[in-house]
Amino acid sequence: MKFWQKIYVFSILVFVIIFNAASIMVIERSHNRMLEQEINSAISQNMSIHSSVNAIVPILRIYDSIDYEKTVLTRIANGFVGTNTEQRAYLDIRDETNRAVFSNADFQMPAQRKELDKLGADEINYILRDIDKRTILFTSNIVDINHTSYLFTYMVDVTSLYQERVDQYQFFVQVDVAACFLYMLIMFFVSRGLTRSIDRLGRTAQVIAQGNFSERVQLKSKDEIGVLAHNFNNMAAVVEDTITELERNNQEKQRFINNFTHELKTPLTSIIAYANFMRTTKYDEETFLDGLNVIYSEGKRLEMLSLKLMNLIVLQEDNFEMELHDLGAVIAEIKPALDMLAKEKQVTIVAECEPGELRLEKDLIKVLIFNLVDNALKASEEQMTITLRVTWHGGHCMLEVMDQGIGIAKEHQDKIFEPFYMVDKSRTRSGKGAGLGLAICQNIASVHNAIIRVTSVESQGTKVEVVFAPTHPKGGIKE
């Protein structure tokens, strides 16, 4: 059973039970009150008759005649009945031998009368009886006149009260059917409306399960279901981001494997080919030296590749000890080595450093600077300038490496930090690189809680910014 159907069925059951129970209670309460009023009225009339009889008892004692007593009682009864003709009231007077002194009842008095059991003087008992499809209220009391007991029974026809209750139930059944039908109709639309949002959530979940992670629930309500939809959308967004990140990581891993395989294949092919050529060819010193040179250069290239891979692996660990160093002083230490590299291409390296201390792993920072300058040199032509600049702004330390070289096209800028990715594919063939330098720089920056930004325009140059985390006044990195 669907959720909206459960709401529909259970709400109808609750409505029917409560509505019927409340209506029955109202009808019965009204009937009992009216019946109680009739009983009190009948007892009051009986007491009135009893008072009238007690008023003439002294006179009856003077005459002390049974016939006179019956005559007087008959007159009192006729007078009382004459004033109550519209109330469908009956009066029955009997002597102690159960002979009728007066009776205007149009029905046979019952032989068994439980209300007379243990009936004492000055007491009035009442009982309801069904006689000839009518309901009669009997009220009885005993009056002692000159040592003769008379039984007075005042009766009222209360059939109309019970008929009214039946009419009320019949009317209630009609109202109940109409109310239930109207309630069922209203609740059908209400339950469907309440669960429509849940249906949307279900359909959206199915779409997401089929792989469309960008699907979202379109709900604007501010109730609990609206909050649930909002949280569901947030969850879907997190799932989408996670899936996208996993896919990106898988793609990067696959590219890493493909590129790594390619980088290994090229030098190994050369080494194997030349070794086999030298093994199967008649010895010639010039050819032998050329082959050894190729094997040596390709072997050095494999060594360089393995060292850089080791750097990448080592940088995945987080056990580096940081110490306070002046970044400008670190640059000054490796400046002579950088100048030697630049001298071959007749490129000038300029250092502009503001003083200030950072918590650094000195050797890693040297590797970062060396790789950034090496990339700048590869992109520069003769007589160009590479600038190293260290500046401080509001606690942030920024290292900038700027060149005037060929620049990087926009379509390559978001991929240059991937391992083995190279904008100039000819470098790997020339043995000048394997595309691991910037990947190593990225990991070194992460170790120092720094970020790297690249700004480049083709044919105008490239600027690489390494922004270190803010520092405390004493020189520590703010966590």
Side-chain angles (χ1 to χ4, degrees):
M1 184 181 293
K2 294 184 177 180
F3 185 60
W4 76 267
Q5 293 174 334
K6 291 181 180 179
I7 294 176
Y8 182 65
V9 171
F10 287 122
S11 63
I12 290 175
L13 288 176
V14 172
F15 172 79
V16 169
I17 292 172
I18 294 177
F19 182 74
N20 289 343
S23 300
I24 291 172
M25 290 175 61
V26 170
I27 292 173
E28 290 298 324
R29 181 181 176 86
S30 175
H31 171 75
N32 290 335
R33 282 188 175 182
M34 295 180 66
L35 183 60
E36 185 179 357
Q37 290 176 359
E38 287 291 341
I39 292 172
N40 292 334
S41 177
I43 293 175
S44 177
Q45 292 292 347
N46 195 315
M47 292 177 63
S48 178
I49 295 172
H50 184 71
S51 299
S52 299
V53 173
N54 286 337
I56 63 170
V57 167
I59 299 175
L60 295 177
R61 287 177 180 174
I62 295 174
Y63 289 96
D64 194 17
S65 170
I66 294 177
D67 293 335
Y68 182 71
E69 290 174 2
K70 294 181 178 181
T71 301
V72 172
L73 293 176
T74 302
R75 288 178 181 177
I76 292 174
N78 284 326
F80 183 79
V81 170
T83 58
N84 295 278
T85 55
E86 296 181 356
Q87 298 181 2
R88 290 185 296 175
Y90 307 97
L91 182 60
D92 181 88
I93 304 175
R94 294 179 182 270
D95 60 17
E96 55 190 9
T97 62
N98 201 30
R99 291 179 61 183
V101 176
F102 175 87
S103 179
N104 68 332
D106 56 1
F107 50 86
Q108 182 69 34
M109 295 292 289
Q112 299 293 330
R113 300 182 61 183
K114 294 181 180 180
E115 75 273 17
L116 303 181
D117 296 342
K118 298 181 181 181
L119 178 62
D122 299 327
E123 291 183 359
I124 299 176
N125 287 349
Y126 69 89
I127 193 172
L128 288 165
R129 287 191 176 92
D130 292 328
I131 299 177
D132 299 333
K133 297 182 180 180
R134 291 185 295 173
T135 302
I136 307 298
L137 171 63
F138 287 73
T139 62
S140 303
N141 71 311
I142 297 175
V143 178
D144 188 19
I145 302 175
N146 294 334
H147 307 292
T148 301
S149 297
Y150 292 92
L151 176 64
F152 285 77
T153 303
Y154 177 72
M155 298 161 285
V156 179
D157 187 351
V158 293
T159 305
S160 60
L161 291 181
Y162 288 89
Q163 183 59 45
E164 184 178 356
R165 184 173 69 168
V166 172
D167 293 341
Q168 287 180 346
Y169 273 112
Q170 291 176 347
F171 176 74
F172 162 71
V173 170
Q174 296 174 356
V175 173
D176 187 36
V177 172
C180 288
F181 176 77
L182 182 62
Y183 185 81
M184 290 171 63
L185 184 64
I186 294 173
M187 280 306 301
F188 176 80
F189 293 103
V190 170
S191 60
R192 292 289 290 179
L194 288 175
T195 57
R196 188 174 292 113
S197 300
I198 300 177
D199 291 339
R200 291 182 184 176
L201 280 171
R203 290 194 297 269
T204 303
Q206 290 178 350
V207 173
I208 292 176
Q210 293 172 358
N212 187 4
F213 299 104
S214 62
E215 186 71 13
R216 296 293 182 270
V217 182
Q218 302 298 327
L219 285 179
K220 297 182 180 180
S221 61
K222 297 183 180 179
D223 55 11
E224 289 82 354
I225 296 180
V227 173
L228 175 62
H230 177 72
N231 293 335
F232 180 88
N233 287 337
N234 290 340
M235 179 192 69
V238 172
V239 171
E240 182 182 14
D241 293 342
T242 303
I243 296 297
T244 302
E245 181 67 18
L246 290 174
E247 290 178 349
R248 187 181 65 81
N249 290 338
N250 287 334
Q251 292 173 358
E252 289 181 358
K253 289 178 181 179
Q254 188 60 45
R255 283 197 298 268
F256 181 90
I257 293 172
N258 294 340
N259 292 329
F260 179 66
T261 303
H262 176 75
E263 292 298 325
L264 285 178
K265 182 180 178 181
T266 302
L268 286 175
T269 301
S270 298
I271 291 173
I272 293 171
Y274 272 92
N276 185 59
F277 176 76
M278 293 170 62
R279 184 174 62 86
T280 59
T281 303
K282 186 177 180 180
Y283 175 76
D284 178 75
E285 185 176 357
E286 183 178 356
T287 302
F288 189 75
L289 288 176
D290 289 341
L292 288 178
N293 287 333
V294 171
I295 292 173
Y296 176 79
S297 63
E298 294 299 327
K300 293 295 291 184
R301 182 176 167 193
L302 284 176
E303 181 185 30
M304 178 270 297
L305 179 61
S306 64
L307 289 175
K308 291 195 172 183
L309 285 174
M310 286 299 298
N311 286 335
L312 280 178
I313 295 173
V314 170
L315 288 172
Q316 301 301 317
E317 302 176 2
D318 190 15
N319 55 356
F320 299 100
E321 294 184 3
M322 304 291 182
E323 295 181 356
L324 287 174
H325 293 283
D326 188 326
L327 187 56
V330 175
I331 293 174
E333 287 183 19
I334 62 172
K335 181 70 163 50
L338 297 176
D339 289 336
M340 288 294 296
L341 290 176
K343 186 176 181 181
E344 297 179 5
K345 295 190 69 172
Q346 300 181 14
V347 173
T348 303
I349 297 179
V350 178
E352 302 173 357
C353 302
E354 295 181 0
E357 290 187 334
L358 279 174
R359 288 193 175 275
L360 307 171
E361 210 296 322
K362 187 175 180 181
D363 292 332
L364 292 182
I365 291 298
K366 288 181 178 180
V367 172
L368 180 142
I369 297 171
F370 180 84
N371 281 319
L372 293 180
V373 172
D374 184 54
N375 283 339
L377 284 171
K378 291 173 182 177
S380 300
E381 300 294 338
E382 293 182 358
Q383 307 304 321
M384 287 185 176
T385 301
I386 296 174
T387 302
L388 289 174
R389 180 181 298 157
V390 177
T391 57
W392 291 79
H393 302 283
H396 288 83
C397 178
M398 181 181 298
L399 168 64
E400 297 175 289
V401 179
M402 297 170 284
D403 65 58
Q404 303 167 337
I406 59 176
I408 305 171
K410 288 185 177 181
E411 62 267 21
H412 298 295
Q413 291 181 13
D414 60 340
K415 301 177 183 178
I416 58 177
F417 292 102
E418 296 179 11
F420 295 110
Y421 187 87
M422 288 186 295
V423 177
D424 185 1
K425 301 298 181 181
S426 63
R427 289 187 190 173
T428 183
R429 292 190 297 268
S430 64
K432 296 182 179 180
L436 292 174
L438 286 178
I440 293 173
C441 291
Q442 181 78 289
N443 287 345
I444 293 174
S446 298
V447 169
H448 291 82
N449 296 323
I451 59 173
I452 299 180
R453 297 195 295 248
V454 177
T455 305
S456 183
V457 179
E458 289 187 87
S459 302
Q460 295 185 21
T462 301
K463 179 172 70 173
V464 179
E465 299 173 322
V466 183
V467 183
F468 293 89
T471 59
H472 290 297
K474 292 184 179 181
I477 296 177
K478 185 184 293 183
E479 298 294 337

